[in-house]
Amino acid sequence: MTTDQTPDAAAEAPVEDLPLEDVIETLRAELEQVRAQSLIDRADLENQRRRMERDVQNACRFANKQILGDLLPVFDSLDAALAVAGESGPLREGIELTLRELRRVTANQGLLQIAPAAGDAFDPESHQAMSVVEAEGVAPGAVAQVFQKGYRLNEQLLRPAMVAVAKAD
């Protein structure tokens, strides 16, 4: 290729008019461009495949999010029924059995209960502070009381646990 010709100019000239070395250099340059573009296209396709795979996995993991979220009031009602059912008896046993089975089935689908106990550290990622109260025997800033249990589906928070936090002195 002569110094006054660029690869594009050489590519536009009729092949018969160019020296053989220029034709070879032009073809080599085109081949390198095609190889580079092929690598870019292959990487784009691989990235798109990975994104699609991740999206499908997430769709499968959270496909039942709506129905599991709709079951949270059922958990709350069964917990409230346990609170008033008395210490023992067939009613309490039936409620406990129903609640235990419901928890087992939903846990198999990835639903986990967030139920902090009094004295547990307050976690703003999974607890929502509804009030600050004075609580003897509970460290300041710790959970003093649980108003409503929270739930997490896989790693995603569905509902935070609603708690009262112990007041600092």
Side-chain angles (χ1 to χ4, degrees):
M1 183 179 313
T2 60
T3 57
D4 63 334
Q5 285 185 322
T6 63
D8 291 336
E12 292 173 8
V15 175
E16 306 86 40
D17 297 344
L18 295 175
L20 187 56
E21 297 84 30
D22 288 349
V23 171
I24 292 172
E25 281 303 313
T26 301
L27 291 175
R28 280 188 181 144
E30 287 178 18
L31 180 61
E32 285 305 312
Q33 287 177 344
V34 169
R35 282 183 181 158
Q37 188 60 46
S38 172
L39 289 174
I40 290 170
D41 291 344
R42 196 175 310 155
D44 285 344
L45 283 172
E46 183 63 22
N47 288 338
Q48 184 178 17
R49 184 191 65 76
R50 285 186 190 136
R51 268 192 307 276
M52 293 290 288
E53 198 173 276
R54 186 180 63 238
D55 290 347
V56 167
Q57 285 175 347
N58 282 337
C60 289
R61 288 177 63 194
F62 296 107
N64 53 8
K65 179 180 178 182
Q66 182 66 43
I67 192 162
L68 291 173
D70 289 346
L71 284 174
L72 298 186
V74 176
F75 280 110
D76 296 338
S77 296
L78 289 171
D79 284 336
L82 274 179
V84 297
E87 291 300 314
S88 64
L91 177 63
R92 181 170 189 83
E93 291 171 11
I95 294 170
E96 286 174 343
L97 181 63
T98 302
L99 190 55
R100 187 171 37 248
E101 186 64 16
L102 184 60
R103 284 191 179 125
R104 184 191 65 77
V105 169
T106 56
N108 289 341
Q109 299 301 313
L111 187 71
L112 299 174
Q113 179 177 280
I114 302 168
D120 286 354
F122 176 75
D123 177 11
E125 295 293 320
S126 58
H127 304 154
Q128 181 174 348
M130 302 303 291
S131 64
V132 177
V133 297
E134 289 190 26
E136 289 188 30
V138 178
V143 173
Q145 180 182 1
V146 178
F147 297 119
Q148 189 177 50
K149 295 174 183 174
Y151 292 89
R152 185 178 303 277
L153 178 59
N154 297 314
E155 296 86 35
Q156 191 177 64
L157 185 67
L158 283 182
R159 182 177 81 188
M162 298 194 186
V163 299
V165 177
K167 185 184 291 186
D169 291 333

